[in-house]
Amino acid sequence: MPKYGFLGLGIMGTGMAANLVRAGFEVTVWNRSPEKTAPLVALGARVAAIPKEVVEASEITFAILSDPAAAEAVCFGAGGVLEGLRAGKGYVDMSTVDAGTSRRISAAVAAKGGRFVEAPVSGTRKPAEDGTLIILAAGDRPLFDEARPAFDKMGKKTMYLGETGNGARMKLIVNMIMGGMMTLLCEGLALGEKAGLEQEEILEVIEAGALANPMFKGKGGAILAQNYATSFPLKHMQKDLRLAVLLGDELGQPLHAAAAANETFKQARGLGLGEEDLCAVYKAVKG
């Protein structure tokens, strides 16, 4: 039975690591706020004081951190991943970052004799808890194959996308589309209300036709219920939109709709909504 490590026990990481522990794997965990390790310890996980110790205790270490700065800090910082690596060990970063960040981490891991896979995930809190994420992996193919038993406990679909950077790009594009869709749904609901229409009926019409999709149904219902309990933090969606727009700049691809969505989410962050669910962007749209 392989020994796994897991770094980052936030909204996503807690459920993902728990699924590994429940599957019977030996798992060592770390989180910047130590109190968040308690639920994993109750399930049978071990705890390390610093990321270096997790890597030393594990054959493959998984990480899911909040943004590029956090991913680099855990890798390059004092007591970080690089200090625990030795030849043959695997590091799988499941954070949503830009391709440049992923490539920098990959090169540093390789320089220490380790192996690297990026594997950002598509999904929110419930899929993380249920083990039904979509995993978008790229990088070292043998490490990807070795990590597959763990991926299969964390996700319902795992894709191998080739060279490092492709997983990051795929995730940013998927979230860019989601952010744009979320913005337009909110504008439609706000406009409909001001036009004297029932928002429940707007959602009913959407659900009955070609626009039907799980996000509109779930987030639309949450907006009507004024339930903004965090499944995917609004601040993280804005970060992903910003990184997608930067990718468009890098490649010379116009992204008019994505740029507009980014500004809407940026406005919502300015209103103090960053810690709420991404559907709280409705409050900024409605005004």
Side-chain angles (χ1 to χ4, degrees):
M1 186 71 73
K3 296 180 179 180
Y4 293 139
F6 207 100
L7 307 174
L9 301 174
I11 288 174
M12 301 295 290
T14 297
M16 295 163 69
N19 284 327
L20 296 181
V21 178
R22 291 192 185 102
F25 297 119
E26 184 177 317
V27 182
T28 303
V29 301
W30 170 86
N31 191 71
R32 192 175 302 278
S33 302
E35 63 273 12
K36 290 188 177 181
T37 63
L40 276 300
V41 172
L43 290 176
R46 302 178 180 182
V47 178
I50 55 176
K52 172 188 174 183
E53 294 177 359
V54 174
V55 176
E56 289 173 337
S58 308
E59 297 164 41
I60 301 175
T61 299
F62 299 89
I64 185 161
L65 294 315
S66 59
D67 55 27
E72 291 200 347
V74 167
C75 181
F76 296 102
V81 170
L82 292 181
E83 293 184 10
L85 279 174
R86 57 177 171 77
K89 282 186 176 288
Y91 184 50
V92 179
D93 194 344
M94 307 183 80
S95 314
T96 298
V97 301
D98 57 286
T101 297
S102 197
R103 286 193 292 264
R104 284 191 294 275
I105 293 174
S106 176
V109 169
K112 295 282 288 187
R115 300 173 297 153
F116 179 77
V117 162
E118 61 174 357
V121 300
S122 182
T124 55
R125 182 197 296 267
K126 188 66 162 56
E129 293 172 346
D130 293 345
T132 57
L133 295 166
I134 300 169
I135 298 170
L136 309 171
D140 186 290
R141 182 62 196 244
L143 176 58
F144 168 82
D145 292 335
E146 290 174 32
R148 192 62 190 257
F151 288 149
D152 287 346
K153 296 301 179 182
M154 293 186 283
K156 66 179 181 180
K157 183 178 180 65
T158 300
M159 298 177 66
Y160 178 76
L161 301 170
E163 66 180 19
T164 301
N166 285 350
R169 294 188 188 99
M170 181 70 80
K171 176 60 188 299
L172 292 179
I173 289 168
V174 169
N175 276 16
M176 179 190 78
I177 294 170
M178 180 166 64
M181 291 172 63
M182 191 72 248
T183 304
L184 201 55
L185 174 66
C186 290
E187 290 184 352
L189 290 174
L191 178 62
E193 183 178 54
K194 289 184 178 178
L197 301 175
E198 294 293 331
Q199 291 182 329
E200 292 88 348
E201 292 180 347
I202 295 172
L203 293 177
E204 185 178 347
V205 171
I206 290 173
E207 179 66 19
L211 290 176
N213 67 78
M215 186 181 75
F216 281 179
K217 183 176 182 179
K219 298 302 184 184
I223 290 169
L224 266 59
Q226 299 183 47
N227 176 13
Y228 303 109
T230 308
S231 178
F232 180 12
L234 185 148
K235 65 180 181 181
H236 290 170
M237 174 53 76
Q238 196 269 312
K239 176 260 298 182
D240 295 346
L241 285 165
R242 173 177 58 82
L243 293 176
V245 171
L246 287 174
L247 179 62
D249 288 345
E250 176 187 329
L251 299 177
Q253 172 61 49
L255 298 173
H256 303 291
N262 182 47
E263 293 303 317
T264 301
F265 274 85
K266 193 187 302 181
Q267 178 187 6
R269 288 191 71 176
L271 294 172
L273 304 174
E275 299 294 338
E276 297 188 36
D277 191 75
L278 81 158
C279 67
V281 73
Y282 176 76
K283 300 178 187 179
V285 169
K286 186 177 180 181

mmCIF file of all heavy atoms in Angstrom, residues 3 5 22 24 68 93 103 113 121 124 127 135 159 219 222 240 250:
data_model
loop_
_atom_site.group_PDB
_atom_site.id
_atom_site.type_symbol
_atom_site.label_atom_id
_atom_site.label_comp_id
_atom_site.label_asym_id
_atom_site.label_seq_id
_atom_site.Cartn_x
_atom_site.Cartn_y
_atom_site.Cartn_z
ATOM 1 N N LYS A 3 2.351 5.070 0.447
ATOM 2 C CA LYS A 3 2.232 6.093 1.481
ATOM 3 C C LYS A 3 2.072 7.444 0.798
ATOM 4 O O LYS A 3 2.925 7.848 -0.002
ATOM 5 C CB LYS A 3 3.470 6.095 2.381
ATOM 6 C CG LYS A 3 3.654 4.814 3.174
ATOM 7 C CD LYS A 3 4.899 4.896 4.050
ATOM 8 C CE LYS A 3 5.074 3.633 4.870
ATOM 9 N NZ LYS A 3 6.287 3.697 5.732
ATOM 10 N N GLY A 5 1.136 11.720 0.980
ATOM 11 C CA GLY A 5 1.095 12.947 1.756
ATOM 12 C C GLY A 5 0.060 13.867 1.167
ATOM 13 O O GLY A 5 -0.283 13.768 -0.014
ATOM 14 N N ARG A 22 -10.010 7.142 3.960
ATOM 15 C CA ARG A 22 -11.107 6.159 4.015
ATOM 16 C C ARG A 22 -10.839 4.961 3.106
ATOM 17 O O ARG A 22 -11.351 3.866 3.355
ATOM 18 C CB ARG A 22 -12.427 6.822 3.633
ATOM 19 C CG ARG A 22 -12.939 7.837 4.651
ATOM 20 C CD ARG A 22 -14.371 8.228 4.343
ATOM 21 N NE ARG A 22 -14.847 9.286 5.214
ATOM 22 C CZ ARG A 22 -14.937 10.564 4.846
ATOM 23 N NH1 ARG A 22 -14.603 10.934 3.626
ATOM 24 N NH2 ARG A 22 -15.369 11.474 5.700
ATOM 25 N N GLY A 24 -8.158 3.490 2.851
ATOM 26 C CA GLY A 24 -7.195 2.599 3.492
ATOM 27 C C GLY A 24 -5.746 2.953 3.271
ATOM 28 O O GLY A 24 -4.845 2.237 3.738
ATOM 29 N N PRO A 68 -1.270 30.843 -6.831
ATOM 30 C CA PRO A 68 0.139 30.640 -7.189
ATOM 31 C C PRO A 68 1.112 30.999 -6.076
ATOM 32 O O PRO A 68 2.104 30.285 -5.856
ATOM 33 C CB PRO A 68 0.317 31.548 -8.413
ATOM 34 C CG PRO A 68 -1.026 31.588 -9.047
ATOM 35 C CD PRO A 68 -1.993 31.604 -7.890
ATOM 36 N N ASP A 93 0.870 18.582 -7.661
ATOM 37 C CA ASP A 93 0.253 19.838 -7.235
ATOM 38 C C ASP A 93 -1.105 19.967 -7.915
ATOM 39 O O ASP A 93 -1.189 20.086 -9.145
ATOM 40 C CB ASP A 93 1.145 21.024 -7.596
ATOM 41 C CG ASP A 93 0.710 22.301 -6.889
ATOM 42 O OD1 ASP A 93 -0.438 22.334 -6.377
ATOM 43 O OD2 ASP A 93 1.499 23.256 -6.843
ATOM 44 N N ARG A 103 5.290 25.247 -14.232
ATOM 45 C CA ARG A 103 6.576 24.876 -14.831
ATOM 46 C C ARG A 103 7.746 25.191 -13.904
ATOM 47 O O ARG A 103 8.729 24.443 -13.862
ATOM 48 C CB ARG A 103 6.743 25.573 -16.182
ATOM 49 C CG ARG A 103 5.878 24.968 -17.301
ATOM 50 C CD ARG A 103 6.317 25.469 -18.657
ATOM 51 N NE ARG A 103 6.034 26.880 -18.830
ATOM 52 C CZ ARG A 103 4.953 27.370 -19.434
ATOM 53 N NH1 ARG A 103 4.049 26.531 -19.934
ATOM 54 N NH2 ARG A 103 4.784 28.667 -19.561
ATOM 55 N N GLY A 113 15.782 15.739 -8.176
ATOM 56 C CA GLY A 113 15.669 14.322 -8.471
ATOM 57 C C GLY A 113 14.269 13.771 -8.319
ATOM 58 O O GLY A 113 14.051 12.566 -8.467
ATOM 59 N N VAL A 121 -8.148 20.451 -10.380
ATOM 60 C CA VAL A 121 -9.413 19.723 -10.408
ATOM 61 C C VAL A 121 -10.562 20.649 -10.788
ATOM 62 O O VAL A 121 -10.558 21.840 -10.478
ATOM 63 C CB VAL A 121 -9.711 19.060 -9.048
ATOM 64 C CG1 VAL A 121 -8.607 18.073 -8.692
ATOM 65 C CG2 VAL A 121 -9.864 20.095 -7.940
ATOM 66 N N THR A 124 -16.300 21.466 -6.931
ATOM 67 C CA THR A 124 -16.338 22.287 -5.728
ATOM 68 C C THR A 124 -16.392 21.387 -4.490
ATOM 69 O O THR A 124 -16.010 20.228 -4.545
ATOM 70 C CB THR A 124 -17.531 23.254 -5.779
ATOM 71 O OG1 THR A 124 -18.733 22.490 -5.984
ATOM 72 C CG2 THR A 124 -17.381 24.249 -6.916
ATOM 73 N N PRO A 127 -18.365 17.721 -4.753
ATOM 74 C CA PRO A 127 -17.618 16.705 -5.494
ATOM 75 C C PRO A 127 -16.312 16.297 -4.815
ATOM 76 O O PRO A 127 -15.908 15.134 -4.901
ATOM 77 C CB PRO A 127 -17.359 17.376 -6.841
ATOM 78 C CG PRO A 127 -18.460 18.360 -6.987
ATOM 79 C CD PRO A 127 -18.704 18.878 -5.597
ATOM 80 N N ILE A 135 -10.219 15.448 -12.745
ATOM 81 C CA ILE A 135 -8.806 15.723 -12.509
ATOM 82 C C ILE A 135 -8.098 15.928 -13.841
ATOM 83 O O ILE A 135 -8.173 15.075 -14.739
ATOM 84 C CB ILE A 135 -8.171 14.574 -11.713
ATOM 85 C CG1 ILE A 135 -8.859 14.462 -10.341
ATOM 86 C CG2 ILE A 135 -6.663 14.790 -11.550
ATOM 87 C CD1 ILE A 135 -8.485 13.225 -9.552
ATOM 88 N N MET A 159 -7.982 12.877 -16.548
ATOM 89 C CA MET A 159 -7.454 13.031 -17.902
ATOM 90 C C MET A 159 -5.958 13.334 -17.833
ATOM 91 O O MET A 159 -5.520 14.124 -16.992
ATOM 92 C CB MET A 159 -8.170 14.170 -18.633
ATOM 93 C CG MET A 159 -9.658 13.942 -18.810
ATOM 94 S SD MET A 159 -10.493 15.344 -19.615
ATOM 95 C CE MET A 159 -9.736 15.293 -21.249
ATOM 96 N N LYS A 219 -26.820 26.837 -8.474
ATOM 97 C CA LYS A 219 -26.494 28.199 -8.057
ATOM 98 C C LYS A 219 -27.691 29.133 -8.207
ATOM 99 O O LYS A 219 -27.866 30.057 -7.399
ATOM 100 C CB LYS A 219 -25.313 28.734 -8.863
ATOM 101 C CG LYS A 219 -24.027 27.945 -8.672
ATOM 102 C CD LYS A 219 -23.583 27.885 -7.225
ATOM 103 C CE LYS A 219 -22.259 27.169 -7.069
ATOM 104 N NZ LYS A 219 -21.856 27.006 -5.646
ATOM 105 N N ALA A 222 -29.685 28.617 -5.170
ATOM 106 C CA ALA A 222 -29.016 29.223 -4.017
ATOM 107 C C ALA A 222 -29.233 30.733 -3.988
ATOM 108 O O ALA A 222 -29.459 31.316 -2.925
ATOM 109 C CB ALA A 222 -27.523 28.903 -4.054
ATOM 110 N N ASP A 240 -9.009 33.058 -10.827
ATOM 111 C CA ASP A 240 -8.943 32.228 -12.025
ATOM 112 C C ASP A 240 -9.282 33.027 -13.282
ATOM 113 O O ASP A 240 -8.668 32.841 -14.344
ATOM 114 C CB ASP A 240 -9.875 31.032 -11.889
ATOM 115 C CG ASP A 240 -9.450 30.087 -10.775
ATOM 116 O OD1 ASP A 240 -8.307 30.223 -10.293
ATOM 117 O OD2 ASP A 240 -10.261 29.223 -10.381
ATOM 118 N N GLU A 250 -1.071 36.733 -23.121
ATOM 119 C CA GLU A 250 0.162 36.040 -23.517
ATOM 120 C C GLU A 250 0.059 35.463 -24.920
ATOM 121 O O GLU A 250 1.025 35.489 -25.693
ATOM 122 C CB GLU A 250 0.448 34.933 -22.499
ATOM 123 C CG GLU A 250 1.644 34.054 -22.806
ATOM 124 C CD GLU A 250 1.751 32.883 -21.846
ATOM 125 O OE1 GLU A 250 1.335 33.028 -20.673
ATOM 126 O OE2 GLU A 250 2.238 31.826 -22.263
#
